[in-house]
């Protein structure tokens, strides 16, 4: 069954990549800049409560290579290509508490930064305000490696000692959480949206690979294709993808976020990463992560196993393996986004937000290191625990988990949501379904999404209860304006 799911996902992704709109074309001009964000408005919330969900847990399958993110065709078709190169060996599942192999790049990253975990983070202003009340910052996470994030702080005397750290999906960037950043601040929390390395505005500040005799970077307008790694980046290699992203989120919470209670909110692969980071942190017994909210989290990512044979482990440098392909597919971003939204052509706010997001993704992809980062991400090995094991571990520790899923997502279909809900039920988790809403419900139906999120946070923090307003219609359906929301757990 797992193999069937994987094959379907791979073939579907490849088909999308071969659509006419994704045919080879000149890449957009490599002018990389931050684009302005737009205000988002969406439908309000309505809700109803149904009985708890009793869901049998199927045996954990090998993670399929089916990206459930805006650039799904890129990653999933890459998985199909890579799968023809090598068959990965079967490996026994390992528990949350087990360590990775000695070759783990995440372990290398942790060792390199262990002395600085408690040190004051090197944070500086990152440009003009993203929008009123939102501040941009750059955090020098590693030498010559800048992580961009947006922070929205509460005003006046409403400030509370909790924070929400928001992690975006593949190819996107943190400011598509604008509505949630503003909403959390009105509740008294401090909201952060961080760009994953190699996405949005988080990049090395110089070409990490190679220099000529005069000390200049080499390559033809692109970074990352040199023959050697510059000494500033250390001897362990520089990579993008899951191991690096997990380390980045973990250290961001520890070193940048000052609030004592931290909630992680993740969409798509951001949810996958957030669940695994929360589970690993909970193992230490000293984590300040107080809860986890997932919006259509992808339950799988990547195709290579840590320590197993693979044609490449994603560490730079390497000569081009994806540059032409990456450039050819960059023109289909808007089409791919439209595939995973329920109402992409509403002629109103959703269509406008999708257009703006597509522009910001295209701008980020125009970074001179875009192609190298893309190639590195595709081959980065998966990390432990699995997504399913992470949810099991969090439920066993009764860490609050909220599933807030778009019901009309063609990639992370409701079956996946029910499966995740079955894992968190014993720990008191909650599951809400929104419709119409697709893969990014926080972006497509932000007002409905925010009402559920804020009510959940208020209960967790012991704040004044926020009622979930809705109107009941005939037949037991519940609806407010255009969005239906149903509590299923």
């Amino acid at each position: 069954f797992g193999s069937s799911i994987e094959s379907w996902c791979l073939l579907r992704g490849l088909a999308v990549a071969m659509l006419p709109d994704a045919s080879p074309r000149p890449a957009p001009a490599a002018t990389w800049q931050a684009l302005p964000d737009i205000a988002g408005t969406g439908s309000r919330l309505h809700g109803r409560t149904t009985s708890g969900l009793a869901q049998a847990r199927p045996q954990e399958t090998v993670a399929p290579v089916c990206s459930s993110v805006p650039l799904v065709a890129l990653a999933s078709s890459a998985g199909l290509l890579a799968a023809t190169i090598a068959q990965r060996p079967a490996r026994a599942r390992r528990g949350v508490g087990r360590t990775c192999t000695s070759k783990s790049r995440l372990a290398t990253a942790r060792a390199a930064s262990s002395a600085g975990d408690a040190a004051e983070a090197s944070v500086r202003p990152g440009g003009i305000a993203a929008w009123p009340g939102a501040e941009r910052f750059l955090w020098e996470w590693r030498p010559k490696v800048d992580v961009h994030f947006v922070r929205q702080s509460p005003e006046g005397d409403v400030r509370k000692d909790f924070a929400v750290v928001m992690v975006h999906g593949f190819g996107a960037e943190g400011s598509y959480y604008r509505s949630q950043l503003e909403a959390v601040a009105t509740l008294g929390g401090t909201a952060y949206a961080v760009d994953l390395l190699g996405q949005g505005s988080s990049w090395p500040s110089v070409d990490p690979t190679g220099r000529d005799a005069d000390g200049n970077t080499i390559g033809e307008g692109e970074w990352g294709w040199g023959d050697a790694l510059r000494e500033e980046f250390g001897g362990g290699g520089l990579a993008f993808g899951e191991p690096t992203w997990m380390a980045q989120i973990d250290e961001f919470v520890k070193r940048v976020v000052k609030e004592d209670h931290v909630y992680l909110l993740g969409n798509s692969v951001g949810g996958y990463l957030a669940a695994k980071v929360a589970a690993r942190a909970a193992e230490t017994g000293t984590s300040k992560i107080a809860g986890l909210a997932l919006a259509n989290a992808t339950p799988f990512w990547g195709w290579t196993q840590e320590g197993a044979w693979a044609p490449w482990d994603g560490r730079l440098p390497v000569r081009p393996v994806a540059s032409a392909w990456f450039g050819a597919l960059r023109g289909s971003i808007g089409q791919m986004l439209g595939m995973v939204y329920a109402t992409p052509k509403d002629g109103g706010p959703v269509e406008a937000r999708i257009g703006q997001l597509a522009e910001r993704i295209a701008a980020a992809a125009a970074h001179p290191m875009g192609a190298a980062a893309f190639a590195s991400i595709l081959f980065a090995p998966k990390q432990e625990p699995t997504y399913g094991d992470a949810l099991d571990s969090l439920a066993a520790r009764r860490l609050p988990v909220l599933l807030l899923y778009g019901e009309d997502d063609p990639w992370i279909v409701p079956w996946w949501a029910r499966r995740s809900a079955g894992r968190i039920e014993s720990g008191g988790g909650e599951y809400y379904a929104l419709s119409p809403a697709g893969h990014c419900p926080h972006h497509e139906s932000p007002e409905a999404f925010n009402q559920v999120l804020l009510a959940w946070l208020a209960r967790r923090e012991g704040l004044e209860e926020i009622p979930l307003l809705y109107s009941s219609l005939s037949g037991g359906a519940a609806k407010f304006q255009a969005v239906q929301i149903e509590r299923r757990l």
Side-chain angles (χ1 to χ4, degrees):
F1 179 67
S3 297
S4 299
I5 289 286
E6 182 172 3
S7 299
W8 176 84
C9 292
L10 292 173
L11 291 173
R12 183 170 183 173
L14 183 60
V16 171
M18 295 175 65
L19 288 172
D21 284 349
S23 59
R25 68 191 70 191
T31 54
W32 179 69
Q33 58 181 340
L35 296 179
D37 301 281
I38 65 170
T41 57
S43 304
R44 294 185 182 275
L45 171 78
H46 68 275
R48 67 186 174 92
T49 301
T50 61
S51 59
L53 174 69
Q55 171 69 22
R57 301 179 185 171
Q59 179 68 25
E60 183 75 20
T61 60
V62 175
V65 187
C66 171
S67 173
S68 58
V69 288
L71 296 182
V72 58
L74 304 183
S76 53
S77 57
L80 180 60
L81 176 65
T84 65
I85 299 175
Q87 295 292 324
R88 60 189 175 196
R91 295 174 65 88
R93 291 171 55 208
R94 290 177 285 183
V96 174
R98 299 287 294 275
T99 59
C100 297
T101 69
S102 59
K103 296 182 180 180
S104 169
R105 286 172 292 139
L106 180 57
T108 301
R110 283 177 168 174
S113 65
S114 59
D117 275 351
E120 186 71 18
S122 176
V123 175
R124 65 188 188 275
I128 62 174
W131 54 82
E135 302 171 282
R136 293 187 184 274
F137 294 96
L138 290 173
W139 166 42
E140 191 176 19
W141 177 37
R142 300 279 187 269
K144 307 294 185 182
V145 175
D146 289 330
V147 169
H148 171 265
F149 67 95
V150 175
R151 183 182 70 192
Q152 185 112 17
S153 302
E155 297 181 357
D157 58 0
V158 299
R159 181 184 295 272
K160 310 296 181 184
D161 191 24
F162 76 91
V164 179
V165 175
M166 306 175 190
V167 188
H168 62 79
F170 178 56
E173 41 79 65
S175 66
Y176 82 154
Y177 282 117
R178 172 176 180 169
S179 181
Q180 289 69 49
L181 288 157
E182 294 175 327
V184 169
T186 65
L187 191 62
T190 303
Y192 302 82
V194 59
D195 291 355
L196 297 171
L197 186 63
Q199 315 275 280
S201 299
S202 293
W203 298 91
S205 57
V206 297
D207 184 350
T209 58
R211 285 178 286 195
D212 60 22
D214 297 323
N216 301 314
T217 56
I218 60 177
E220 298 178 358
E222 290 187 339
W223 293 5
W225 301 130
D227 293 318
L229 196 67
R230 292 170 62 143
E231 62 184 17
E232 300 98 307
F233 292 88
L238 173 69
F240 301 82
E242 183 175 332
T244 301
W245 292 340
M246 288 181 66
Q248 175 189 340
I249 298 166
D250 180 64
E251 291 183 41
F252 185 85
V253 170
K254 291 176 179 176
R255 300 176 57 191
V256 178
V257 179
K258 303 305 181 186
E259 290 73 20
D260 288 336
H261 282 189
V262 179
Y263 298 87
L264 298 182
L265 167 59
N267 169 232
S268 189
V269 72
Y272 166 91
L273 295 167
K276 298 173 73 160
V277 168
R280 277 190 169 180
E283 287 282 312
T284 67
T286 60
S287 172
K288 61 180 181 179
I289 296 176
L292 174 70
L294 303 176
N296 292 65
T298 178
F300 35 72
W301 185 258
W303 67 278
T304 63
Q305 295 280 5
E306 188 75 66
W309 184 90
W312 182 37
D313 66 359
R315 281 183 287 188
L316 302 180
V318 66
R319 284 298 183 182
V321 294
S323 183
W325 177 32
F326 175 72
L329 292 177
R330 276 168 53 193
S332 63
I333 293 171
Q335 178 196 13
M336 293 184 209
L337 283 173
M339 291 175 57
V340 297
Y341 280 67
T343 57
K345 299 295 184 182
D346 69 338
V350 175
E351 187 171 1
R353 286 195 295 271
I354 291 175
Q356 290 290 321
L357 179 59
E359 290 181 7
R360 294 198 297 270
I361 292 173
H367 189 278
M369 199 161 187
F374 171 68
S376 177
I377 290 166
L378 295 181
F379 285 88
K382 295 180 289 187
Q383 299 294 292
E384 296 176 356
T386 66
Y387 173 78
D389 284 347
L391 293 185
D392 288 345
S393 176
L394 296 174
R397 289 171 170 78
R398 300 197 66 82
L399 188 86
V401 179
L402 170 67
L403 305 181
L404 191 45
Y405 277 46
E407 185 78 349
D408 308 296
D409 185 348
W411 299 104
I412 304 302
V413 296
W415 183 86
W416 289 109
R418 293 193 297 271
R419 190 163 182 256
S420 295
R423 291 187 176 275
I424 65 171
E425 184 174 19
S426 64
E430 299 179 30
Y431 165 34
Y432 296 81
L434 277 67
S435 182
H439 188 63
C440 305
H442 66 288
H443 192 243
E444 185 168 6
S445 302
E447 290 189 356
F449 185 96
N450 291 348
Q451 289 298 317
V452 179
L453 176 65
L454 295 186
W456 181 77
L457 288 170
R459 292 197 303 274
R460 303 279 73 79
E461 288 297 305
L463 305 177
E464 182 178 351
E465 184 173 350
I466 298 176
L468 301 183
L469 303 176
Y470 64 91
S471 59
S472 296
L473 306 178
S474 59
K479 196 166 188 177
F480 191 95
Q481 291 190 1
V483 176
Q484 177 170 309
I485 185 165
E486 182 177 328
R487 181 170 181 177
R488 295 180 175 173
L489 177 63

